[in-house]
Structures are given as structure tokens and as C-alpha cells.
Amino acid sequence: MKLASLLESKRSKKLAGFLIKRRKPLGILLYLCGLVYLGMLPRDEFNRRSFVDENALMVGLVRREFRDSQSISDYAEELADFGVDQEGLMVWLEASFSRIGLEVYSQNYSAVLPAVAGPQAASVSGRSVYGVLRAGRASSAESLVFSAPSGEAANTHGLAVMLSLAKYFKSKNYWAKDIIFLVTTGGEIGVQAWINSYMGNAVKGINAGPLPGRSGAIQAVINLEIDSPKIEYARIMIEGVNGILPNLDLVHVLTHLSEMEGIPSALHMGWEGVRSHGRYSKPDLSDSAHKLYTVASLMAHQAPGLPLAGHAPFLRHRIDSVTVRGVGSGPTAKPLLNLARYLAVLLAEKTCIFSVSSAFCLPPGPWRVVFEASTISWRDSTIQSSSTMPRLAGDSSPSGCSCLPSASYWLHSCWRAYLSGCWQEDSEWQLLSAQEVVTPVNSSCCTHRRFHSIPSWEWSCLR
Amino acid sequence: MAARRWDWVQLLTAVFLHLTLPCMCQGRAEQSYSEALFMKFLADGRVSATFDFSTVWSVHPLLFSNPGNVQHYGIFPKSLAEVVAHYHVQELHLTLTQGQWRTRVWGYPAHPAPPGAELWAWFLPEADSEKEWPGLVDAMSGLLGAHLNAIDSASSFQPLVSFRPNGAILSKDMSNSSALLRYAALPRETVCTENFTPWTKLLPCGTAAGLGELFEAESLYDCDYHSLGLHFTPHCLDDGCGQVGVRLSLTLTVVFPPPVTSNPSILEWSLKSLFHRPLTSACPLAFSSTVTVETNSIDGVQVSLSQTPSLTGTVEVAGRRRDRAVFDLHSLTNSTTSKPLPPLSVSSSSWAYHIMPEQPELLVSRHLVGSGHDWGGLATEITNSAPHTVEVLYLEMVPWFFRLYLHTLSVSQATVLSQHYVPAKDRRRAHMLELRLSLPPLSTSYLSLQFRRAHLKWTEHKPDAHHGFYINSAVITTVLSECPNCTSLAAQDQDLAVLRLYSEPLLVSLPTPDFSMPYNVICFVCTVIAIAFGSVFNLTTRTLQPAAAAKEKLLTRILRRIGVLSKQKSD
């Protein structure tokens, strides 16, 4: 009997007839299966523990030596005087940056907002101030951006942390990349105007002035938003315009360092919604409900593709960026010094290493990832239409996979699990992550503990 | 008998001396060596230290190029002399630099250099430069421990007018051709002690005496800018250039961070505090060994010296007086033999970070335009703040994997007087664009040029491929009549006639392939072969025979399988 006749056999015909007849209920059943699976993805059994992809990036090796909490509070006090006087604030910032010893520049912009809110198109204008810290031994070919928005929402403490870090960074000479301290007004429009001028891309509706000073290719952006003198936890916001996400390593390092400083980090909204109803509780990261919530809110924020915070416009230009938002002032809140210290370490690490890692989708919490898109990646076709071809798979670097909830997750993850046999792997990782949850500060896994034991090892990248 | 033997010995000695001395004298007497250190405050409070060790030798360059003619090198480094002779080099310039010279704040550099490594050489007229260049590159990379061997034909250039010989010109033919010139730069090169140590070995006194005593790698590399230079040029020995010799100038420029004190408005440095080493002697081989300090570099800031200089003087540079104090190390060390020099310390008062200097006349800055992995652009800004028109040469060198579109070249403000463009050939030659521009007074000119990124083969990517590729610094060359912002020691220095400004190098990311693809493909193919091919192959090749026995019903079969019915078929 040959293959053809086998397929035409009576039994196959029967099966095909059955499938065709019941296609609707079967389809609905499979879809429901997909949804159920999607709901189960945040559980640790169904996702993998993630790792830092870049071997050279040894997290936490830099000595944590920033101790100047006095300057944070001094700056915060001076900043508080300005209130709503944005122009006064900008002038004062320019003076402060230049006192610290940075090259100070500013950019004017104006934008015409589409007529959504009222009958007439609204016009906004503003000024952004930025100071450039030139890395002594580097050639200005690369830079990092440390940004803090000013304006609508009070960001007094974010600016204070930025200024005192700028002062501290100036005293160090291990920088291998320039650091740009950027203060924008007018929300995302100010950031958009700045980055568009920087990249030489004009956008309709925004009239961005020229940038008098520049540095090289931007490798990473940290956007800082803090409105209280103490923080309960750090919310790390990752979604960019059109759902593009940053490099996974950046998020990992950020999470790990904040844990080292005793500041829990939540990947998404955390329990803010709950808190607003008066039942605030510290986010318990092991809680699977919280993880489900995180995944759901990630999807919800990626799907509309709107910018959420000041880091979003950078992602459009393939620049890794995240927003760190300090939240809460409860009884267990830590002073801003801890946050500033870990940001100092983060930038010291990013200055030395250009890190690449797989694109990723839907992290249900720190150090967990549903997919590393090393074989599969969804990306935004409108932005990278011309460039997707050679970078389709296993893409690294600033990247984007914009994940929308669909049943195809289910198929792909099953396929991947089948290929890599990650079911066994997961059970091992599970042990590690259980330890991590019990003592979140000092033992995320054994390799990291090793780094803790050599705290005085000075990081020096060029020697 | 004894007296007779003594005569013989005397005679032999005399003959020996007679034969050898002239050669030795010829080698030594015509060499002169001088060392100089020039220190000044830069406008942002940083301190620049410029070392210049130069040896002049009265051997004609053509004679020099033949190894048989020169046997005694004296204080001239033999290792370098042999390289120069073997590859028929007329002029050689090598710089190894860490950091970018901030012209806007620091003024023009004494020895301009792009970040990374730069090597350019003029070959002697009879040399085959095509053949000699790769050898010279390898030899220099061995001599200074630099990664120069990364220079290949795709990163070597022959600029038509930007890099003319610095020294004496030996033949008139070469003045309008660049066939004998090769230029290459490696912006990615990092400079460290492995380059510095071999460089110090070229100094006649090494680090044992003289200004070399100050060299300690830790302090020299813990600074904001560091540039090593090696310049070998034919040199005019008299005013009319009737006699030509060779000159080797070894330069080192270091910029130290502002030496702040507990009082923020007072800056104070001493040689010991900057270099972590004392200066105890002058190099005995040097006919001049000096430390010069400029005392009025920053306007409105008073500088005081802890020690009385051997000589003070004022140099008039472009209508501005520059006070300089010179310390002659020979005279200082003669009086106090084997004692360290009194520590020279320099302090300044009323200094503040926000004193912005007067901007130099000519500035260049370049940046990248566009994001994504397809199109991109180079945008260059050249500012001329002089009240007169300035003519400059603009040189842009772009690797072949950026496909440059010349029709997108746009120049605003400036006028293009002439243009020389060499298009790239894949993997063999890079793009080179040389423009002669006339910059109107008090203007900022913009140049822009667009390119597309090519796809490289996956083996052509460098390690750390996601980091991106560098584009050489653009070079602006001009002749300045006046130089108010120069850092150099001598106002009438010949090198100053030609001013070179280097823009920032650019880091551009190229589309990178997935380097784990081979692994993925192997995994995938193996799975496909194992699952699909195996079963299909099995199905299509095997002949299936229908079973003789009649078919049983499904239920009967299941029951038989689970053992309810007996295993034997009932007949």
C-alpha cells in the first residue's frame, strides 16, 4: 500500500469529516485552552528563570560607595522652592549643572497638539536643559542618558537624586561613555523633541530647536521619577511606544541592584490600584496573583502602544531605556540614598559594557521571563520594516518584541518547550527562585553571592 | 724590550682610536637632543602637560634610508631607524590617543591627534609605497605594541591635499601627488601601558633621568586625555635648507583633572602631585632640558609659582601676551647635585568652573543622523568665528560597508572650491571625500551626507559585533595666520603653520545576524530529519502487505489488548 492510498483510507476520511463538522466547537475549545494556558503562564512552572545574557556584565561587582545623602536633601530643599515656576527652575538647573562642572546646553521646542481635547489645536512650548559629563578617557563616541522629567507631575526628588549623582559622577574618572543629564518639560513631548533633534528625525507637529551640544550614540537611558523623600519600592516601567521593549539585561541588572539595596522592584503597576482603595500592601513578588496581574497589565499597556513614561520615545530609536519610578512612603520605606546608590552602580556598569541580550516578552516578575525570544520574536513592523530581515531571530540589542495576547503564544511555547526540554530545567530554576523569595536581598543565586564577598574590588574598565 | 712593547701598544691604541673615533664622533657630534615640558592651565581648570623630546641628526634622509651608510646610531633609537631605513620612509607620524581633545574649551592642541591610533607616512620617491606600507604598518605595530596590524587596504587612504609632508621636502615631484602617501586611523584602538613602555624605550635617557623620571603609568593613564606621538621628519639644518637632516620628535600630551583644593576657588598643582614622582635630574645627553609654565592661561586668574624660574618671558601670541616661566633643569641640578629639585608648585586663585573661555576660531563637530538599520547620515558642523573668510580642507573617510551617496552631499553656508572623491570598492577600498571649503566670516556651515548600511558576512563582524563599527574622525586642515588658542610651547613652531582639527569618531551599528543561527539550524535540521524524514522515508519505501486475517471490530481489538479476551484469535 502506498502513501496516497493510506491517506485516502476510510478511517482518515472519517477523521477529516469529523474535524470539519465540529470545527467551530473545536476552535472555541482550542481558543479557551490557549486562554487558560495564558493565564497559567505567570506560574513559575510555565516560565523560565532568566539570566544576564552578557557574560562580561557581572552584576554588583562595582563598589557601592555613594553616601552623600546630605546633598540629595539639600538639592531637594532648593528645588522645592520653585513650585510651578518652570523657567526659574530651568535657569537654576543650568547654574547647578555648570557649578558641578558639566557642559550645559538647552533646547527650545514647540508643538502643536492635534485637536482632540478642544475645538482648536492646542500649542505647547517649553525648554529642556541638559548637562554633558564628558568621559575623560573616551572619545565621545558613546553616551548614556540619565533623564528626569519636570513639569506636570512633581519630580523634585528625582531631580535632587540626579543632581547629587551628577556631582558624584564628576568626581569619578572611570567613565568610558559620556553621561547626559537631561531635564525635560512638557511630558513625553519634551523628550520626543529632544531625541528627535538628537537623531536628526523630524516629526510632524513638533518644532524642535537645534541641539547646541551632543555626544555619541546613546546606549542606554534611565529615566527617574520620584515624588517622595522615601520610597517603598521601585517600579520599573519598560513599555515603549508601540509596545517595544528594552534589552532584558538592563531590566535584570536594575532589578538585581535594587534588591541589593533592599528596595524591592516591581515590574509593573504593582498594587497601586489596590492601594488607591486604601488597602495598600507591599508587593509580594512570589504571589502568583501579582504575577498574573503584572503580565496582564504588561499586555494591557503594550497593546495600545502609547508612551507611558519619559523613557518611551527613546525605545522608538532602538535605544534601551527604562523608567524607574520610586513609589510609596510607608513604614518600610528606604531613604533615597539607597536608590541613588544603586543607580550609580548601574551607570558604572553600563559605562563599561555594551550589553546585548535576547528580546523578551511578558516578564511576570523580576528575573522571570515567559519567552526569551531567541527563536521567535514579534516585532513592530512599522518601525523596523526595513531592518527586520537580517535581525529576525535571536535579535539582541535594543529591540522590540511587542507581544499581544494571542493563542499563538501557546503553540510557540509548547514547541519551544519540546525543542529545548525546558521542563526539567524549570524545576531546577524553581529551587533557586524559591530561595530568592525567602531572602530577597542577598542571595538571588549562588553566583551572585560570590560577588558579594568581594565588595572592595574596584571596577575599572579601561585598565 | 719592555719599552718597545709599550710602543707597540701605544701605536695600536692610537691606530685604533684614529680609526674608530671619527666614526663615533660623526655619530654623536651631529646629533642634538633636547627635552621640554610645557605646563599650563586650561580654561576649565584642567592642567595640560606637553612633553617634547626631539633628536636632530644631520644625516641626509636619502643616506639614512640605506642601512649600509649609517652604522653608529648614537642616541637615535636604532629599532626605529632600521624600520625607517628598511621601508624607505621619508616621513612618519604615529599617534596613539586616549580621549578626545575638547577644542571648544581647551583651545587648539599642540599635537593634534584623533582618538585611537593614527599612522601616516610619506615614502621616498624611489620606494614602492604599495609594497612598503603593509610592512611598515606591521613593523610599527611591533615597535609600539599597538594593534596597527588591523590596518589593511580597506582602511588605508591617500588624501590628495590634507596630509602634506610636515618636514623638509626632498624632491619637487612629490608635491602634487599623493602616490607616496598612506594614511590610516583606528578609532577603536585603546592605548595603555603596553604602548607607553616601548615608547619610553625610544627616549635617550628612558625613564632613568630627565623628564622621563616623571613617567609613571598609573598617573599618566588616570587622566582626562592622553596622547603619545612619534614624528619622524626630514629637517632643515639651516635657514635656507641647504643642509637636510632628520628629526625625531617624541611627544606626549596629558590633560589632568582640575587640581582642586579644599578651597574651591584655588587650584594648586606640583609636579609631584600630578605625576606622583619627583623630578631629580636633567638628562645628561640633552643640550637643553626645560620645564616651562604658562602663568596667565586663564584670563582673570592669577597664578603664582613657589620657585623662582631661571627665566621669565612674555610671548606675544596673536595680540595677546602670554607670560611664561622657564626652569632650566641643567642649571637647577648642577648646583644641588643628587638632591631632588625643589618641588615646583603652582597655585591659582579666583578660579571657578563657569568661566567659559573664548571660543577658538574654528570648531568642528560631527554626529550621526537617523535611527534604524537602513539609512543613516553624517552631519558635520564647522564653525568659523573669525571675522574673515577661512579656507579649510575637509576630509571624510568612511568604510566600504556604509554605502555613501555622493548626490546627497549638501553644504550650507560654506562654498565648495574643489572636491575629490574616491568611491569604495567592496572589501578593498573605503570611501574618501576631500573638499576644499571656503567658510564665510562668523558663520556655521553644515555638511551632510547620507549612507545606507550594507550587510556584512557573518564572519566579517568583529568580536562584540553589537557594539557597532567606527567611522574615522573627520579631519579639518587649515593654515592659520594667528593662533590665539594654541597650547603649544613655541609661538613660531613650524607645526603650527598647519592646524588640524579632528572631529569625534562615530559609532554606527550595522545589522547583525543572529550568531546563534548555525546552532539553531543544526538543532532544527536534526529534529526534522529525526521526526519527519525518518517516518516519511519509512512509509514511502516499505511495501505494506494487507493482512490475511479478516478485520476485527474495534471493540474486540481493545478488549483483546487489555486482556479481557484471550490473546489467541478465535478462528
Side-chain angles (χ1 to χ4, degrees), chain A residues 191-202:
Chain A
V191 185
Q192 187 85 48
W194 189 85
I195 187 66
N196 282 338
S197 288
Y198 199 94
M199 306 300 277
N201 288 1

Side-chain angles (χ1 to χ4, degrees), chain A residues 136-137 140 173 199 354 391 396, chain B residues 102 221-222 224 370 373 466:
Chain A
R137 291 176 291 183
S140 286
N173 63 352
M199 306 300 277
F354 177 71
R391 296 172 64 92
S396 26
Chain B
R102 315 279 170 200
Y221 283 93
D222 198 18
D224 288 344
H373 274 151
H466 299 286

Side-chain angles (χ1 to χ4, degrees), chain A residues 65-86:
Chain A
E65 53 185 7
F66 178 74
R67 284 191 180 82
D68 197 2
S69 60
Q70 187 59 39
S71 81
I72 302 180
S73 53
D74 287 353
Y75 277 124
E77 227 167 78
E78 283 188 69
L79 279 158
D81 296 343
F82 288 100
V84 287
D85 177 16
Q86 285 299 315

Side-chain angles (χ1 to χ4, degrees), chain B residues 23-241:
Chain B
C23 303
M24 284 167 72
C25 295
Q26 194 184 14
R28 290 240 169 129
E30 296 164 23
Q31 286 180 338
S32 68
Y33 169 65
S34 64
E35 52 178 19
L37 166 62
F38 178 52
M39 310 278 305
K40 72 178 262 191
F41 272 115
L42 298 172
D44 57 356
R46 290 184 166 83
V47 180
S48 84
T50 311
F51 291 88
D52 200 330
F53 304 89
S54 60
T55 311
V56 176
W57 193 3
S58 61
V59 183
H60 193 273
L62 290 173
L63 209 67
F64 189 80
S65 72
N66 189 344
N69 290 340
V70 183
Q71 280 166 357
H72 298 282
Y73 293 90
I75 54 172
F76 197 91
K78 190 183 174 195
S79 54
L80 180 71
E82 282 176 344
V83 169
V84 165
H86 187 268
Y87 296 104
H88 306 287
V89 176
Q90 180 189 321
E91 211 177 300
L92 175 73
H93 299 270
L94 171 68
T95 58
L96 294 166
T97 309
Q98 200 179 64
Q100 173 88 31
W101 182 270
R102 315 279 170 200
T103 314
R104 190 188 289 268
V105 189
W106 298 348
Y108 299 131
H111 305 286
E118 184 196 46
L119 174 67
W120 56 285
W122 278 89
F123 293 91
L124 287 169
E126 72 271 13
D128 179 3
S129 57
E130 192 69 48
K131 212 182 89 207
E132 308 284 22
W133 171 244
L136 176 69
V137 163
D138 285 347
M140 290 312 290
S141 107
L143 192 65
L144 284 179
H147 188 226
L148 298 173
N149 45 2
I151 296 171
D152 53 6
S153 72
S155 53
S156 303
F157 302 88
Q158 288 173 279
L160 205 60
V161 277
S162 289
F163 288 87
R164 304 312 297 170
N166 267 10
I169 291 170
L170 300 180
S171 104
K172 289 235 165 72
D173 319 341
M174 62 195 300
S175 52
N176 46 15
S177 142
S178 59
L180 296 168
L181 166 69
R182 287 293 181 286
Y183 174 92
L186 297 173
R188 204 179 185 172
E189 180 74 10
T190 49
V191 184
C192 206
T193 46
E194 74 263 29
N195 311 116
F196 184 67
T197 311
W199 181 85
T200 56
K201 298 258 162 72
L202 302 175
L203 301 174
C205 286
T207 54
L211 294 174
E213 277 184 4
L214 294 173
F215 294 158
E216 193 207 32
E218 199 176 319
S219 63
L220 290 179
Y221 283 93
D222 198 18
C223 61
D224 288 344
Y225 176 84
H226 176 102
S227 176
L228 286 175
L230 184 160
H231 306 276
F232 172 83
T233 46
H235 183 69
C236 291
L237 296 174
D238 49 18
D239 286 342
C241 219

